[in-house]
Amino acid sequence: MTHHDRLLIIDFGSQVTQLIARRLRELNVYCEIHPYNRVDDAFLKAFAPKAVILSGGPASVYWENAPMPPAGVFSMGVPLLGICYGQQVMMHSLGGHVEGGHGTAEFGRAFVTPTADRLPLLEGWFEAGTEQVWMSHGDHVSKIAPGFQVYGTSPNAPFAITADVARQFYAVQFHPEVHHTPKGAQLYENFVRLAGFKGDWTMGAYREEAIRKIREQVGDQKVICGLSGGVDSSVAAVLIHEAIGDQLTCVFVDHGLLRLGEAEQVVTMFRDHYNMPLIHADESALFLGALEGVSDPEVKRKTIGRLFIDVFQKHATAVGGAKFLAQGTLYPDVIESVSFSGGPSVTIKSHHNVGGLPEKMGLKLVEPLRELFKDEVRALGRELGLPPSFIGRHPFPGPGLAIRCPGEITSEKLDILRKADAVYIDQIRRHGLYDDIWQAFAAILPMKTVGVMGDGRTYDYALALRAVTSVDGMTADYYPFTHEFLGETATRIINEVKGVNRVFYDCTSKPPGTIELE
Ligand code: XMP
């Protein structure tokens, strides 16, 4: 956002560059990550950073065509911090020397010892002698550049911490952004303080500026927004509504595959509490009709995706004259990543909730969360007054319960699944576990089993319960409930939900499993 101090992270392709941005955002510093090959002197001038960080990366500075920042970065007069490959880039560019291999590679934990001189960047470090850091380098600096001095060494990195204090150029061999460098956050805090950042990039400020930008972009035109009830689209809708009021219409497509009471909750909250124009498109008959007899997971997903777009378009057209489509796209979806593996050098990930629609309907996008990480979206939601229980909700997939009902979907099965899922989630909440778990849900299995209840034989459905911990859904571990919890939950479900006589707990991690069953 324009009037804040801005920090530029030049990305050389490290796996952990995003973590640098996370650490800085935690300090209320606005930063952007840009790949090195998109940053030239003109870009630097236009971006006008108050400080620059050169990230790590897998290349070697002595490669032909090694990735380099524009020369101008060293003559801008702003503080620089080079990390790992970024340190090597600084040394190589400023008259030092970098060498490869020779048994000095370091991966993992290392301990840095201070030299005699104190460096303000290291305030709070070395109180108990050495500090643990996380290294991941093959090459190493063998001669530091003129003007630099060494402030910390490790057994395999004699130049672990170096600086040219007069120019405020700092260069470290390790990665302070990862948690395995326990004092890393302190190093970033010192860096931004020394660079003069005020730490004024707060959610309150973000909210005000985002509202101003939305008004500028949209003018007096109409905007439509697909509301799923998930955190991202909800926060985007509330923010846009605050900016432009009833120029916004939300379309909530109810495909009949939602959880117990979910449609009512979403409609009540947005229509009654926030007074938003909201179309509740109850299209469950259409979706469930089209899914009748379908058991192949891919056919289910494609059917739902296609109908969703048709339905959304129908209602969006009915709003009349909307020129913009609002989406809850997040920053990780738009960061361009550096690729060294051939093919196009830059991959752009873009995320379209209603893929293809903007082009088809000639709509422009409003994406007010494009600069935020997921936890920042939650913070913005809190700032906007969304209820905490809503903000902390587990993710729910677009195809809904369809992919938690392997095999054919029937109204009977969906009904059983909704009730069982509600009991399971209630159990998790009662035991105070909801916020420790990334996602939890029940799935109804495509089989019946024999049981005995009272004096009678039963022949009912079996359920699978799933609960995982994860950071981003890409990998996941199953949640280690106690046996007591599992036993109590199975008993409650079987007693409270007619049609279920057996409960399994899924203890597969991802990989090899996926989180959803289909
Ligand atoms: P999987 O099952 O692939 O799920 O391990 C990873 C995460 O993604 C969610 N998921 C979806 N979300 N549309 C969505 O919006 C989908 O089609 C979809 N499929 C899976 C899933 O709930 C989990 O959080």
Side-chain angles (χ1 to χ4, degrees), residues 250-333:
C250 291
V251 181
F252 173 57
V253 178
D254 179 350
H255 47 24
L257 298 159
L258 299 169
R259 289 165 292 189
L260 195 69
E262 188 159 27
E264 293 75 14
Q265 277 167 24
V266 170
V267 173
T268 305
M269 182 155 90
F270 290 94
R271 196 186 272 162
D272 302 343
H273 183 72
Y274 285 103
N275 284 320
M276 277 188 204
L278 172 76
I279 297 170
H280 176 192
D282 181 357
E283 300 280 359
S284 43
L286 174 74
F287 280 84
L288 299 182
L291 289 169
E292 213 173 291
V294 176
S295 55
D296 181 87
E298 275 313 295
V299 179
K300 279 185 191 172
R301 282 174 173 275
K302 291 204 172 103
T303 305
I304 295 166
R306 175 174 50 77
L307 288 179
F308 192 92
I309 290 187
D310 289 351
V311 166
F312 186 82
Q313 183 171 12
K314 179 176 86 182
H315 291 282
T317 308
V319 171
K323 291 276 185 296
F324 292 90
L325 174 73
Q327 287 194 160
T329 312
L330 305 190
Y331 192 44
D333 303 322

Side-chain angles (χ1 to χ4, degrees), residues 301 395-399 403-404 438-439 441 472-474 510 513-518:
R301 282 174 173 275
F396 186 65
I403 56 175
R404 297 177 179 177
W438 199 73
Q439 196 172 15
F441 56 87
D472 50 15
M474 305 296 285
K510 173 183 179 177
T514 54
I515 295 176
E516 304 289 346
L517 268 68
E518 290 190 332

